[in-house]
Amino acid sequence: SKGYKNKEKKEFERSKSFVDARKWRAGVESCIGALMRGNGGDLCLDKNIRGYRRWVSACVLSRNLITLGRHLLNNILEKSA
């Protein structure tokens, strides 16, 4: 937050729970950005909520398949080396 921070607010923002929550939010924002950029999340043409949910589910599924494929490929390369 902007502006002057009193001592209590500074201590709260340095606490482990606050720092963990801030990192978790950044991770979620990163995942959303990856879905939008790399998996077609920004191309949804559906106008209703049901179609949008279907589109987001397909984006998440495609992202998970890509991640799984990379993981499996890395395991195969490590075993052959």
Side-chain angles (χ1 to χ4, degrees):
S1 63
K2 296 180 180 180
Y4 176 76
K5 296 179 187 173
N6 59 20
K7 186 177 180 180
E8 294 164 357
K9 190 163 188 168
K10 282 183 184 179
E11 289 176 7
F12 173 70
E13 289 184 3
R14 290 181 185 155
S15 68
K16 180 160 175 44
S17 61
F18 185 85
V19 172
D20 289 345
R22 190 173 56 211
K23 288 180 182 178
W24 180 82
R25 180 172 181 223
V28 169
E29 295 288 337
S30 172
C31 290
I32 291 170
L35 286 175
M36 297 300 268
R37 280 189 317 274
N39 298 99
D42 56 344
L43 302 174
C44 182
L45 300 176
D46 289 314
K47 302 297 182 195
N48 58 19
I49 190 68
R50 186 175 178 204
Y52 183 72
R53 286 181 179 168
R54 183 176 52 238
W55 190 268
V56 170
S57 298
C59 290
V60 170
L61 178 64
S62 67
R63 184 70 179 178
N64 288 343
L65 288 173
I66 290 169
T67 303
L68 180 63
R70 285 183 185 156
H71 182 70
L72 291 173
L73 186 60
N74 285 339
N75 283 347
I76 291 170
L77 292 174
E78 285 178 1
K79 287 180 182 179
S80 67

